[in-house]
Amino acid sequence: MLSEKDQLEKESLERAHWLKTFSLFITIVKSFLFIICATLLYITFEDSFDFNFQKQTPNKSAYASNQTYADSEDWDKVENGIHVASGLVYVDNFDIIRANCTACHSGKLVAQNRATREGWQQMIRWMQKTQGLWDLGKNEPIILDYLAKYYAPKEVGRRANIDIAEVEWYILELDKE
Ligand code: HEC
């Protein structure tokens, strides 16, 4: 039989043990809650984390370059079929291209890209979804025709095979003279 003192000591030891386990449990729950909150916050603000930086930089430079266009007298200058201020191929309905594709960024960003018609359409959809590009309406097919024609993928890769049957062979005479 335990003495009363031993009995009390045992009980308080048990209580201490239980408290320890409980506080460990609370710590684990807290960690989980923290992770869940952090994840929720991240999901909610993910877009602004990712795109804030990109969104602002090109817009700023675009305004800056629009400023220079407006200041210069070369707004409509065309050299060798290239509209100088935007760097884009000049065509009859160029104003449609200029109005819709050089408002946010330089035309050079357009001119340095190559894609098929579908590829261009995807880029336009991407800008509409994430960069605030407006609905192009009836101008869209005109713009797509323009882009697909002048900014089509460059021919890359190896040249076509030589058609051996078509080649006119000749003997190379090395010991002539
Ligand atoms: C409302 C603003 C806005 C308009 C108008 C706009 N864009 Fe953009 N465009 C952007 C932004 C923002 C980017 C991202 C720039 C960056 O990533 O540095 C971008 C990027 C691009 C890129 C580069 C894509 C890449 O993968 O790097 C191309 C090409 C492009 N635009 C073509 C066009 C064409 C063609 C038009 C006309 C139909 C157009 N843009 C009109 C906002 C616009």
Side-chain angles (χ1 to χ4, degrees):
M1 222 14 218
L2 291 167
S3 69
E4 199 170 326
K5 186 167 162 274
D6 285 347
Q7 181 70 33
L8 276 176
E9 203 165 302
K10 191 174 161 238
E11 265 174 24
S12 82
L13 269 178
E14 267 170 9
R15 201 175 301 130
H17 179 71
W18 187 85
L19 271 176
K20 235 187 194 167
T21 318
F22 186 67
S23 77
L24 183 67
F25 174 71
I26 291 291
T27 312
I28 292 172
V29 170
K30 269 198 223 154
S31 315
F32 268 111
L33 278 178
F34 178 76
I35 291 169
I36 290 168
C37 286
T39 314
L40 281 178
L41 274 176
Y42 180 72
I43 290 170
T44 316
F45 295 107
E46 190 179 20
D47 282 7
S48 29
F49 285 158
D50 282 343
F51 297 115
N52 252 350
F53 176 70
Q54 289 191 338
K55 237 184 215 162
Q56 277 157 16
T57 338
N59 282 352
K60 256 188 222 150
S61 59
Y63 290 139
S65 55
N66 278 350
Q67 199 63 42
T68 15
Y69 294 172
D71 288 348
S72 76
E73 291 152 23
D74 298 332
W75 176 250
D76 281 320
K77 195 166 153 198
V78 175
E79 255 173 29
N80 303 321
I82 302 288
H83 176 250
V84 177
S86 67
L88 289 167
V89 174
Y90 188 82
V91 288
D92 279 347
N93 45 15
F94 184 71
D95 277 341
I96 296 177
I97 314 296
R98 171 158 60 191
N100 288 287
C101 298
T102 67
C104 301
H105 46 65
S106 152
K108 293 177 181 92
L109 188 65
V110 180
Q112 75 194 10
N113 274 275
R114 294 284 181 280
T116 58
R117 196 184 161 96
E118 289 78 61
W120 279 112
Q121 192 170 33
Q122 277 166 18
M123 259 187 266
I124 287 175
R125 291 290 171 273
W126 170 78
M127 276 179 285
Q128 284 170 334
K129 235 162 89 187
T130 63
Q131 312 295 343
L133 173 59
W134 45 85
D135 184 357
L136 298 173
K138 63 175 173 26
N139 286 330
E140 184 170 303
I142 300 172
I143 294 171
L144 282 175
D145 285 345
Y146 169 87
L147 293 169
K149 180 167 177 196
Y150 297 106
Y151 299 100
K154 285 211 178 88
E155 310 284 337
V156 284
R158 50 173 309 189
R159 61 162 173 73
N161 289 338
I162 290 176
D163 185 352
I164 293 182
E166 285 296 303
V167 176
E168 282 183 40
W169 299 99
Y170 59 91
I171 310 289
L172 186 61
E173 289 173 67
L174 289 173
D175 44 19
K176 227 189 215 172
E177 243 159 298

PDB file of all heavy atoms in Angstrom, residues 55 100-102 104-105 109-110 113 119-136 143 147:
ATOM      1  N   LYS A  55       3.498  42.810 -64.462  1.00  0.00           N
ATOM      2  CA  LYS A  55       2.450  43.674 -64.972  1.00  0.00           C
ATOM      3  C   LYS A  55       2.928  45.118 -65.020  1.00  0.00           C
ATOM      4  O   LYS A  55       2.629  45.824 -65.949  1.00  0.00           O
ATOM      5  CB  LYS A  55       1.242  43.595 -64.036  1.00  0.00           C
ATOM      6  CG  LYS A  55      -0.029  43.165 -64.748  1.00  0.00           C
ATOM      7  CD  LYS A  55      -1.169  43.210 -63.766  1.00  0.00           C
ATOM      8  CE  LYS A  55      -2.152  42.104 -64.036  1.00  0.00           C
ATOM      9  NZ  LYS A  55      -3.023  41.831 -62.925  1.00  0.00           N
ATOM     10  N   ASN A 100      -4.111  48.579 -81.437  1.00  0.00           N
ATOM     11  CA  ASN A 100      -4.388  47.448 -80.548  1.00  0.00           C
ATOM     12  C   ASN A 100      -3.150  46.764 -79.983  1.00  0.00           C
ATOM     13  O   ASN A 100      -3.224  46.140 -78.933  1.00  0.00           O
ATOM     14  CB  ASN A 100      -5.230  46.398 -81.274  1.00  0.00           C
ATOM     15  CG  ASN A 100      -6.648  46.872 -81.478  1.00  0.00           C
ATOM     16  OD1 ASN A 100      -7.426  46.938 -80.549  1.00  0.00           O
ATOM     17  ND2 ASN A 100      -6.974  47.248 -82.712  1.00  0.00           N
ATOM     18  N   CYS A 101      -2.046  46.869 -80.682  1.00  0.00           N
ATOM     19  CA  CYS A 101      -0.893  46.060 -80.262  1.00  0.00           C
ATOM     20  C   CYS A 101       0.291  46.881 -79.777  1.00  0.00           C
ATOM     21  O   CYS A 101       1.305  46.312 -79.401  1.00  0.00           O
ATOM     22  CB  CYS A 101      -0.450  45.146 -81.399  1.00  0.00           C
ATOM     23  SG  CYS A 101      -1.733  43.976 -81.865  1.00  0.00           S
ATOM     24  N   THR A 102       0.201  48.202 -79.818  1.00  0.00           N
ATOM     25  CA  THR A 102       1.346  48.969 -79.300  1.00  0.00           C
ATOM     26  C   THR A 102       0.903  49.862 -78.137  1.00  0.00           C
ATOM     27  O   THR A 102       1.649  50.724 -77.704  1.00  0.00           O
ATOM     28  CB  THR A 102       2.006  49.840 -80.398  1.00  0.00           C
ATOM     29  OG1 THR A 102       1.080  50.861 -80.783  1.00  0.00           O
ATOM     30  CG2 THR A 102       2.384  49.021 -81.603  1.00  0.00           C
ATOM     31  N   CYS A 104       0.152  48.919 -74.969  1.00  0.00           N
ATOM     32  CA  CYS A 104       0.711  48.566 -73.656  1.00  0.00           C
ATOM     33  C   CYS A 104       2.211  48.350 -73.700  1.00  0.00           C
ATOM     34  O   CYS A 104       2.904  48.569 -72.737  1.00  0.00           O
ATOM     35  CB  CYS A 104       0.074  47.291 -73.133  1.00  0.00           C
ATOM     36  SG  CYS A 104      -1.697  47.413 -72.953  1.00  0.00           S
ATOM     37  N   HIS A 105       2.676  47.826 -74.799  1.00  0.00           N
ATOM     38  CA  HIS A 105       4.114  47.564 -74.897  1.00  0.00           C
ATOM     39  C   HIS A 105       4.575  47.978 -76.280  1.00  0.00           C
ATOM     40  O   HIS A 105       3.761  48.195 -77.176  1.00  0.00           O
ATOM     41  CB  HIS A 105       4.439  46.089 -74.617  1.00  0.00           C
ATOM     42  CG  HIS A 105       3.548  45.128 -75.335  1.00  0.00           C
ATOM     43  ND1 HIS A 105       3.528  45.012 -76.693  1.00  0.00           N
ATOM     44  CD2 HIS A 105       2.629  44.249 -74.870  1.00  0.00           C
ATOM     45  CE1 HIS A 105       2.656  44.091 -77.041  1.00  0.00           C
ATOM     46  NE2 HIS A 105       2.073  43.615 -75.956  1.00  0.00           N
ATOM     47  N   LEU A 109       8.209  44.245 -79.131  1.00  0.00           N
ATOM     48  CA  LEU A 109       7.906  42.998 -78.413  1.00  0.00           C
ATOM     49  C   LEU A 109       7.089  42.080 -79.327  1.00  0.00           C
ATOM     50  O   LEU A 109       7.243  40.859 -79.285  1.00  0.00           O
ATOM     51  CB  LEU A 109       7.129  43.298 -77.131  1.00  0.00           C
ATOM     52  CG  LEU A 109       6.901  42.119 -76.194  1.00  0.00           C
ATOM     53  CD1 LEU A 109       8.205  41.593 -75.637  1.00  0.00           C
ATOM     54  CD2 LEU A 109       5.968  42.483 -75.050  1.00  0.00           C
ATOM     55  N   VAL A 110       6.255  42.668 -80.145  1.00  0.00           N
ATOM     56  CA  VAL A 110       5.476  41.876 -81.105  1.00  0.00           C
ATOM     57  C   VAL A 110       6.409  41.379 -82.209  1.00  0.00           C
ATOM     58  O   VAL A 110       6.435  40.198 -82.540  1.00  0.00           O
ATOM     59  CB  VAL A 110       4.329  42.718 -81.705  1.00  0.00           C
ATOM     60  CG1 VAL A 110       3.523  41.894 -82.694  1.00  0.00           C
ATOM     61  CG2 VAL A 110       3.437  43.281 -80.608  1.00  0.00           C
ATOM     62  N   ASN A 113       8.682  38.314 -81.907  1.00  0.00           N
ATOM     63  CA  ASN A 113       8.077  36.996 -81.712  1.00  0.00           C
ATOM     64  C   ASN A 113       7.638  36.404 -83.042  1.00  0.00           C
ATOM     65  O   ASN A 113       7.314  37.129 -83.970  1.00  0.00           O
ATOM     66  CB  ASN A 113       6.889  37.106 -80.772  1.00  0.00           C
ATOM     67  CG  ASN A 113       7.318  37.021 -79.323  1.00  0.00           C
ATOM     68  OD1 ASN A 113       7.457  35.944 -78.783  1.00  0.00           O
ATOM     69  ND2 ASN A 113       7.557  38.171 -78.711  1.00  0.00           N
ATOM     70  N   GLY A 119      -0.866  30.117 -82.701  1.00  0.00           N
ATOM     71  CA  GLY A 119       0.041  30.569 -81.656  1.00  0.00           C
ATOM     72  C   GLY A 119      -0.235  32.018 -81.294  1.00  0.00           C
ATOM     73  O   GLY A 119      -0.277  32.387 -80.115  1.00  0.00           O
ATOM     74  N   TRP A 120      -0.467  32.839 -82.326  1.00  0.00           N
ATOM     75  CA  TRP A 120      -0.765  34.258 -82.068  1.00  0.00           C
ATOM     76  C   TRP A 120      -2.088  34.402 -81.337  1.00  0.00           C
ATOM     77  O   TRP A 120      -2.229  35.222 -80.431  1.00  0.00           O
ATOM     78  CB  TRP A 120      -0.786  35.050 -83.378  1.00  0.00           C
ATOM     79  CG  TRP A 120       0.598  35.404 -83.831  1.00  0.00           C
ATOM     80  CD1 TRP A 120       1.260  34.929 -84.919  1.00  0.00           C
ATOM     81  CD2 TRP A 120       1.503  36.299 -83.184  1.00  0.00           C
ATOM     82  NE1 TRP A 120       2.516  35.464 -84.985  1.00  0.00           N
ATOM     83  CE2 TRP A 120       2.689  36.314 -83.940  1.00  0.00           C
ATOM     84  CE3 TRP A 120       1.423  37.093 -82.038  1.00  0.00           C
ATOM     85  CZ2 TRP A 120       3.791  37.089 -83.577  1.00  0.00           C
ATOM     86  CZ3 TRP A 120       2.525  37.860 -81.679  1.00  0.00           C
ATOM     87  CH2 TRP A 120       3.691  37.855 -82.450  1.00  0.00           C
ATOM     88  N   GLN A 121      -3.042  33.555 -81.748  1.00  0.00           N
ATOM     89  CA  GLN A 121      -4.335  33.644 -81.089  1.00  0.00           C
ATOM     90  C   GLN A 121      -4.196  33.291 -79.601  1.00  0.00           C
ATOM     91  O   GLN A 121      -4.780  33.938 -78.744  1.00  0.00           O
ATOM     92  CB  GLN A 121      -5.338  32.710 -81.761  1.00  0.00           C
ATOM     93  CG  GLN A 121      -6.746  32.995 -81.296  1.00  0.00           C
ATOM     94  CD  GLN A 121      -7.766  32.249 -82.121  1.00  0.00           C
ATOM     95  OE1 GLN A 121      -7.502  31.145 -82.583  1.00  0.00           O
ATOM     96  NE2 GLN A 121      -8.919  32.845 -82.322  1.00  0.00           N
ATOM     97  N   GLN A 122      -3.365  32.270 -79.327  1.00  0.00           N
ATOM     98  CA  GLN A 122      -3.162  31.881 -77.925  1.00  0.00           C
ATOM     99  C   GLN A 122      -2.512  33.019 -77.137  1.00  0.00           C
ATOM    100  O   GLN A 122      -2.876  33.272 -75.988  1.00  0.00           O
ATOM    101  CB  GLN A 122      -2.279  30.639 -77.835  1.00  0.00           C
ATOM    102  CG  GLN A 122      -3.058  29.354 -78.032  1.00  0.00           C
ATOM    103  CD  GLN A 122      -2.164  28.156 -78.279  1.00  0.00           C
ATOM    104  OE1 GLN A 122      -0.970  28.196 -77.988  1.00  0.00           O
ATOM    105  NE2 GLN A 122      -2.738  27.105 -78.824  1.00  0.00           N
ATOM    106  N   MET A 123      -1.535  33.701 -77.782  1.00  0.00           N
ATOM    107  CA  MET A 123      -0.882  34.812 -77.083  1.00  0.00           C
ATOM    108  C   MET A 123      -1.893  35.912 -76.767  1.00  0.00           C
ATOM    109  O   MET A 123      -1.882  36.500 -75.692  1.00  0.00           O
ATOM    110  CB  MET A 123       0.258  35.364 -77.942  1.00  0.00           C
ATOM    111  CG  MET A 123       1.613  34.867 -77.480  1.00  0.00           C
ATOM    112  SD  MET A 123       2.947  35.678 -78.349  1.00  0.00           S
ATOM    113  CE  MET A 123       3.241  34.519 -79.675  1.00  0.00           C
ATOM    114  N   ILE A 124      -2.778  36.171 -77.752  1.00  0.00           N
ATOM    115  CA  ILE A 124      -3.811  37.203 -77.541  1.00  0.00           C
ATOM    116  C   ILE A 124      -4.744  36.778 -76.403  1.00  0.00           C
ATOM    117  O   ILE A 124      -5.062  37.573 -75.518  1.00  0.00           O
ATOM    118  CB  ILE A 124      -4.577  37.455 -78.859  1.00  0.00           C
ATOM    119  CG1 ILE A 124      -3.663  38.233 -79.811  1.00  0.00           C
ATOM    120  CG2 ILE A 124      -5.865  38.227 -78.595  1.00  0.00           C
ATOM    121  CD1 ILE A 124      -4.229  38.462 -81.179  1.00  0.00           C
ATOM    122  N   ARG A 125      -5.138  35.485 -76.409  1.00  0.00           N
ATOM    123  CA  ARG A 125      -6.013  35.001 -75.327  1.00  0.00           C
ATOM    124  C   ARG A 125      -5.317  35.143 -73.968  1.00  0.00           C
ATOM    125  O   ARG A 125      -5.931  35.519 -72.985  1.00  0.00           O
ATOM    126  CB  ARG A 125      -6.383  33.524 -75.534  1.00  0.00           C
ATOM    127  CG  ARG A 125      -7.300  33.263 -76.695  1.00  0.00           C
ATOM    128  CD  ARG A 125      -8.714  33.771 -76.487  1.00  0.00           C
ATOM    129  NE  ARG A 125      -9.472  33.661 -77.722  1.00  0.00           N
ATOM    130  CZ  ARG A 125      -9.499  34.591 -78.675  1.00  0.00           C
ATOM    131  NH1 ARG A 125      -8.855  35.737 -78.497  1.00  0.00           N
ATOM    132  NH2 ARG A 125     -10.169  34.405 -79.781  1.00  0.00           N
ATOM    133  N   TRP A 126      -4.015  34.836 -73.973  1.00  0.00           N
ATOM    134  CA  TRP A 126      -3.266  34.939 -72.717  1.00  0.00           C
ATOM    135  C   TRP A 126      -3.261  36.382 -72.225  1.00  0.00           C
ATOM    136  O   TRP A 126      -3.506  36.653 -71.041  1.00  0.00           O
ATOM    137  CB  TRP A 126      -1.838  34.429 -72.924  1.00  0.00           C
ATOM    138  CG  TRP A 126      -0.950  34.721 -71.759  1.00  0.00           C
ATOM    139  CD1 TRP A 126      -0.904  34.050 -70.563  1.00  0.00           C
ATOM    140  CD2 TRP A 126       0.017  35.785 -71.647  1.00  0.00           C
ATOM    141  NE1 TRP A 126       0.010  34.637 -69.732  1.00  0.00           N
ATOM    142  CE2 TRP A 126       0.589  35.698 -70.367  1.00  0.00           C
ATOM    143  CE3 TRP A 126       0.434  36.790 -72.518  1.00  0.00           C
ATOM    144  CZ2 TRP A 126       1.565  36.581 -69.928  1.00  0.00           C
ATOM    145  CZ3 TRP A 126       1.413  37.669 -72.082  1.00  0.00           C
ATOM    146  CH2 TRP A 126       1.964  37.551 -70.795  1.00  0.00           C
ATOM    147  N   MET A 127      -3.023  37.315 -73.135  1.00  0.00           N
ATOM    148  CA  MET A 127      -3.013  38.730 -72.724  1.00  0.00           C
ATOM    149  C   MET A 127      -4.408  39.175 -72.282  1.00  0.00           C
ATOM    150  O   MET A 127      -4.547  39.982 -71.377  1.00  0.00           O
ATOM    151  CB  MET A 127      -2.498  39.617 -73.859  1.00  0.00           C
ATOM    152  CG  MET A 127      -0.994  39.681 -73.897  1.00  0.00           C
ATOM    153  SD  MET A 127      -0.423  40.688 -75.254  1.00  0.00           S
ATOM    154  CE  MET A 127      -0.724  39.584 -76.608  1.00  0.00           C
ATOM    155  N   GLN A 128      -5.431  38.627 -72.956  1.00  0.00           N
ATOM    156  CA  GLN A 128      -6.795  39.000 -72.552  1.00  0.00           C
ATOM    157  C   GLN A 128      -7.105  38.479 -71.157  1.00  0.00           C
ATOM    158  O   GLN A 128      -7.761  39.142 -70.372  1.00  0.00           O
ATOM    159  CB  GLN A 128      -7.807  38.451 -73.581  1.00  0.00           C
ATOM    160  CG  GLN A 128      -7.799  39.291 -74.860  1.00  0.00           C
ATOM    161  CD  GLN A 128      -8.586  38.676 -75.988  1.00  0.00           C
ATOM    162  OE1 GLN A 128      -8.753  37.463 -76.055  1.00  0.00           O
ATOM    163  NE2 GLN A 128      -9.067  39.502 -76.890  1.00  0.00           N
ATOM    164  N   LYS A 129      -6.588  37.263 -70.884  1.00  0.00           N
ATOM    165  CA  LYS A 129      -6.909  36.660 -69.594  1.00  0.00           C
ATOM    166  C   LYS A 129      -6.115  37.278 -68.448  1.00  0.00           C
ATOM    167  O   LYS A 129      -6.639  37.485 -67.359  1.00  0.00           O
ATOM    168  CB  LYS A 129      -6.611  35.154 -69.649  1.00  0.00           C
ATOM    169  CG  LYS A 129      -7.819  34.317 -69.257  1.00  0.00           C
ATOM    170  CD  LYS A 129      -7.703  32.880 -69.697  1.00  0.00           C
ATOM    171  CE  LYS A 129      -7.031  31.979 -68.695  1.00  0.00           C
ATOM    172  NZ  LYS A 129      -6.798  30.637 -69.257  1.00  0.00           N
ATOM    173  N   THR A 130      -4.850  37.576 -68.720  1.00  0.00           N
ATOM    174  CA  THR A 130      -3.992  37.964 -67.593  1.00  0.00           C
ATOM    175  C   THR A 130      -3.487  39.398 -67.655  1.00  0.00           C
ATOM    176  O   THR A 130      -3.026  39.914 -66.650  1.00  0.00           O
ATOM    177  CB  THR A 130      -2.760  37.039 -67.504  1.00  0.00           C
ATOM    178  OG1 THR A 130      -1.987  37.220 -68.695  1.00  0.00           O
ATOM    179  CG2 THR A 130      -3.165  35.581 -67.376  1.00  0.00           C
ATOM    180  N   GLN A 131      -3.516  40.043 -68.825  1.00  0.00           N
ATOM    181  CA  GLN A 131      -2.865  41.353 -68.928  1.00  0.00           C
ATOM    182  C   GLN A 131      -3.832  42.475 -69.272  1.00  0.00           C
ATOM    183  O   GLN A 131      -3.415  43.579 -69.598  1.00  0.00           O
ATOM    184  CB  GLN A 131      -1.736  41.316 -69.968  1.00  0.00           C
ATOM    185  CG  GLN A 131      -0.795  40.134 -69.836  1.00  0.00           C
ATOM    186  CD  GLN A 131       0.013  40.143 -68.547  1.00  0.00           C
ATOM    187  OE1 GLN A 131       0.121  41.174 -67.886  1.00  0.00           O
ATOM    188  NE2 GLN A 131       0.545  39.010 -68.160  1.00  0.00           N
ATOM    189  N   GLY A 132      -5.122  42.179 -69.268  1.00  0.00           N
ATOM    190  CA  GLY A 132      -6.088  43.248 -69.488  1.00  0.00           C
ATOM    191  C   GLY A 132      -6.260  43.666 -70.939  1.00  0.00           C
ATOM    192  O   GLY A 132      -6.742  44.768 -71.211  1.00  0.00           O
ATOM    193  N   LEU A 133      -5.843  42.814 -71.873  1.00  0.00           N
ATOM    194  CA  LEU A 133      -6.104  43.130 -73.281  1.00  0.00           C
ATOM    195  C   LEU A 133      -7.605  43.004 -73.537  1.00  0.00           C
ATOM    196  O   LEU A 133      -8.249  42.061 -73.083  1.00  0.00           O
ATOM    197  CB  LEU A 133      -5.321  42.179 -74.203  1.00  0.00           C
ATOM    198  CG  LEU A 133      -5.624  42.294 -75.703  1.00  0.00           C
ATOM    199  CD1 LEU A 133      -5.343  43.695 -76.232  1.00  0.00           C
ATOM    200  CD2 LEU A 133      -4.835  41.272 -76.497  1.00  0.00           C
ATOM    201  N   TRP A 134      -8.126  43.966 -74.262  1.00  0.00           N
ATOM    202  CA  TRP A 134      -9.564  43.999 -74.538  1.00  0.00           C
ATOM    203  C   TRP A 134      -9.947  43.002 -75.626  1.00  0.00           C
ATOM    204  O   TRP A 134      -9.089  42.477 -76.326  1.00  0.00           O
ATOM    205  CB  TRP A 134      -9.957  45.410 -74.945  1.00  0.00           C
ATOM    206  CG  TRP A 134      -8.996  45.997 -75.925  1.00  0.00           C
ATOM    207  CD1 TRP A 134      -8.989  45.847 -77.271  1.00  0.00           C
ATOM    208  CD2 TRP A 134      -7.844  46.795 -75.608  1.00  0.00           C
ATOM    209  NE1 TRP A 134      -7.918  46.506 -77.821  1.00  0.00           N
ATOM    210  CE2 TRP A 134      -7.200  47.103 -76.822  1.00  0.00           C
ATOM    211  CE3 TRP A 134      -7.296  47.293 -74.405  1.00  0.00           C
ATOM    212  CZ2 TRP A 134      -6.043  47.876 -76.890  1.00  0.00           C
ATOM    213  CZ3 TRP A 134      -6.137  48.055 -74.471  1.00  0.00           C
ATOM    214  CH2 TRP A 134      -5.534  48.342 -75.707  1.00  0.00           C
ATOM    215  N   ASP A 135     -11.269  42.821 -75.769  1.00  0.00           N
ATOM    216  CA  ASP A 135     -11.816  42.002 -76.848  1.00  0.00           C
ATOM    217  C   ASP A 135     -11.538  42.720 -78.167  1.00  0.00           C
ATOM    218  O   ASP A 135     -11.876  43.886 -78.322  1.00  0.00           O
ATOM    219  CB  ASP A 135     -13.331  41.852 -76.602  1.00  0.00           C
ATOM    220  CG  ASP A 135     -13.964  40.936 -77.635  1.00  0.00           C
ATOM    221  OD1 ASP A 135     -13.247  40.475 -78.549  1.00  0.00           O
ATOM    222  OD2 ASP A 135     -15.179  40.689 -77.522  1.00  0.00           O
ATOM    223  N   LEU A 136     -10.915  42.040 -79.116  1.00  0.00           N
ATOM    224  CA  LEU A 136     -10.513  42.712 -80.355  1.00  0.00           C
ATOM    225  C   LEU A 136     -11.642  42.782 -81.373  1.00  0.00           C
ATOM    226  O   LEU A 136     -11.516  43.440 -82.413  1.00  0.00           O
ATOM    227  CB  LEU A 136      -9.285  42.020 -80.949  1.00  0.00           C
ATOM    228  CG  LEU A 136      -8.036  42.046 -80.054  1.00  0.00           C
ATOM    229  CD1 LEU A 136      -6.947  41.197 -80.648  1.00  0.00           C
ATOM    230  CD2 LEU A 136      -7.549  43.465 -79.837  1.00  0.00           C
ATOM    231  N   ILE A 143      -6.051  41.348 -87.446  1.00  0.00           N
ATOM    232  CA  ILE A 143      -4.774  41.332 -86.718  1.00  0.00           C
ATOM    233  C   ILE A 143      -4.104  39.973 -86.860  1.00  0.00           C
ATOM    234  O   ILE A 143      -2.898  39.876 -87.105  1.00  0.00           O
ATOM    235  CB  ILE A 143      -5.011  41.693 -85.238  1.00  0.00           C
ATOM    236  CG1 ILE A 143      -5.477  43.145 -85.126  1.00  0.00           C
ATOM    237  CG2 ILE A 143      -3.744  41.486 -84.425  1.00  0.00           C
ATOM    238  CD1 ILE A 143      -5.947  43.553 -83.737  1.00  0.00           C
ATOM    239  N   LEU A 147      -0.460  39.122 -88.344  1.00  0.00           N
ATOM    240  CA  LEU A 147       0.595  38.485 -87.551  1.00  0.00           C
ATOM    241  C   LEU A 147       1.042  37.167 -88.200  1.00  0.00           C
ATOM    242  O   LEU A 147       2.237  36.881 -88.282  1.00  0.00           O
ATOM    243  CB  LEU A 147       0.100  38.211 -86.124  1.00  0.00           C
ATOM    244  CG  LEU A 147      -0.167  39.461 -85.273  1.00  0.00           C
ATOM    245  CD1 LEU A 147      -0.911  39.091 -83.999  1.00  0.00           C
ATOM    246  CD2 LEU A 147       1.143  40.171 -84.947  1.00  0.00           C
TER     247      LEU A 147
END
